[in-house]
Amino acid sequence: MKYYMHIGGQQVGPYEENELPSHGLTASTMVWREGMPDWVAASQVPELSHLLPPSQQPPSYQPQPGYGPQPGYGPQQPYGAQPPMPETYMVWAILATLLCCLPFGIVSIVKASQVSSLYNQGRYQEAVAASEAAKKWAIWSAIVGVVLSIIGFFLGLYGSLAGL
């Protein structure tokens, strides 16, 4: 990725990321690359932190292999800070829809499909709530399906006995 810098009141560049230190990059150097809305200090660009001398790196900088900002997933938390993703109950939601009670099962599927997207956006509490709702609606769908099956069985039995 190529960056432009403001050095001595002038715009210079573009330079490849690894070339920036040899052209005078410091923590306070204003930098810009395509896709950035405005010029910012190099210390504010996470992908440039490793190029700054240790004395100029932000205090929270701790390099971790394989960890970096992921586009489209909201604010990033330090590696390992977020608990594991809650259960989606998607299999139970689908089975409840097909085998038990269609309306309640559909609600369960909708809630189950929201779990992973909420979790990936960093909205953990909302993901937990969606998971619990998916489970609740799948259970209600199963209960209604069993009750309706029992009622249907007894109505069929009554109908067959009444015809004798």
Side-chain angles (χ1 to χ4, degrees), residues 1-23:
M1 178 122 349
K2 295 191 178 210
Y3 287 85
Y4 290 89
M5 299 190 304
H6 262 251
I7 304 281
Q10 292 189 340
Q11 177 180 317
V12 294
Y15 301 116
E16 290 292 333
E17 184 178 311
N18 60 351
E19 296 176 303
L20 296 174
S22 64
H23 291 283

Side-chain angles (χ1 to χ4, degrees), residues 26-28 41-63:
T26 66
S28 61
S43 62
Q44 300 299 311
V45 182
E47 58 265 20
L48 297 181
S49 294
H50 71 282
L51 298 174
L52 301 173
S55 62
Q56 295 181 359
Q57 289 179 355
S60 63
Y61 177 73
Q62 296 175 349

